[in-house]
Amino acid sequence: MEYITHSPEETEALGAEYARSLRLGDVVAFSGDLGAGKTAFTRGVLRGLGYKGRVTSPTFAIANEYDTPAGRVAHFDLYRILDSEALIEIGFDEYLGGDRIVLIEWSENAADILPDSYKTVHISYGNAENDRAVTIGEVSA
Ligand code: ADP
Ligand code: MG
């Protein structure tokens, strides 16, 4: 499924709508260039799950965890994590298949240790400055 958005607010709204399809245990692998809108979409997902607080990029923290009315959400940004050994060291695999929703920016860097089935969100730049193409899919075993 591909959607075009024209502003960060529209991308957030799409994320909020997408959140309704998520269940605890789901893993969402995001891809797309820096500044594409992965964090904006994630912010929308958390809003959609009923989270009221601030949602910031975990680039420097690597992971943020949120307690939402729909359950616990782990948000990873793996931009600076380049191998799966480093990921295993931070306990990444313990988040998967559990009772959380797991949202992963720069999931390319976790390709080796993603579960067999997961959801995908790819965001790319469009023609106009604030246009983005959001492609929603899934990988199943
Ligand atoms: P990423 O996490 O992919 O690096 P961010 O969500 O942090 O990207 O940032 C997206 C940037 O692009 C923000 O500065 C936002 O204001 C801007 N932007 C412009 N148009 C859009 C759009 N349609 N959707 C999402 N972000 C947009
Ligand atoms: Mg980001």
Side-chain angles (χ1 to χ4, degrees):
M1 277 297 241
E2 185 176 283
Y3 303 85
I4 305 292
T5 68
H6 305 95
S7 66
E9 292 75 21
E10 273 185 44
T11 298
E12 275 193 42
L14 187 60
E17 196 179 310
Y18 178 71
R20 294 164 42 172
S21 71
L22 294 176
R23 301 290 174 266
L24 297 181
D26 283 351
V27 173
V28 185
F30 288 88
S31 56
D33 289 340
L34 201 63
K38 302 178 294 297
T39 299
F41 189 97
T42 296
R43 190 171 289 126
V45 168
L46 281 149
R47 292 280 173 269
L49 295 172
Y51 185 74
K52 304 285 187 216
R54 242 166 84 84
V55 175
T56 55
S57 171
T59 301
F60 298 102
I62 299 175
N64 288 337
E65 278 212 275
Y66 299 95
D67 269 317
T68 81
R72 187 160 286 205
V73 176
H75 177 201
F76 285 89
D77 184 322
L78 305 181
Y79 186 57
R80 296 177 312 140
I81 295 271
L82 295 175
D83 62 89
S84 39
E85 261 170 56
L87 269 176
I88 289 165
E89 246 163 60
I90 64 167
F92 175 76
D93 49 334
E94 287 158 34
Y95 288 88
L96 303 175
D99 51 2
R100 292 173 173 79
I101 293 170
V102 181
L103 310 173
I104 311 169
E105 296 189 40
W106 296 98
S107 59
E108 297 91 328
N109 292 342
D112 297 353
I113 57 173
L114 287 178
D116 292 337
S117 303
Y118 55 91
K119 294 166 184 281
T120 58
V121 176
H122 180 74
I123 309 182
S124 54
Y125 287 90
N127 297 326
E129 191 186 335
N130 293 332
D131 285 2
R132 300 291 191 271
V134 181
T135 308
I136 288 173
E138 59 188 319
V139 168
S140 39

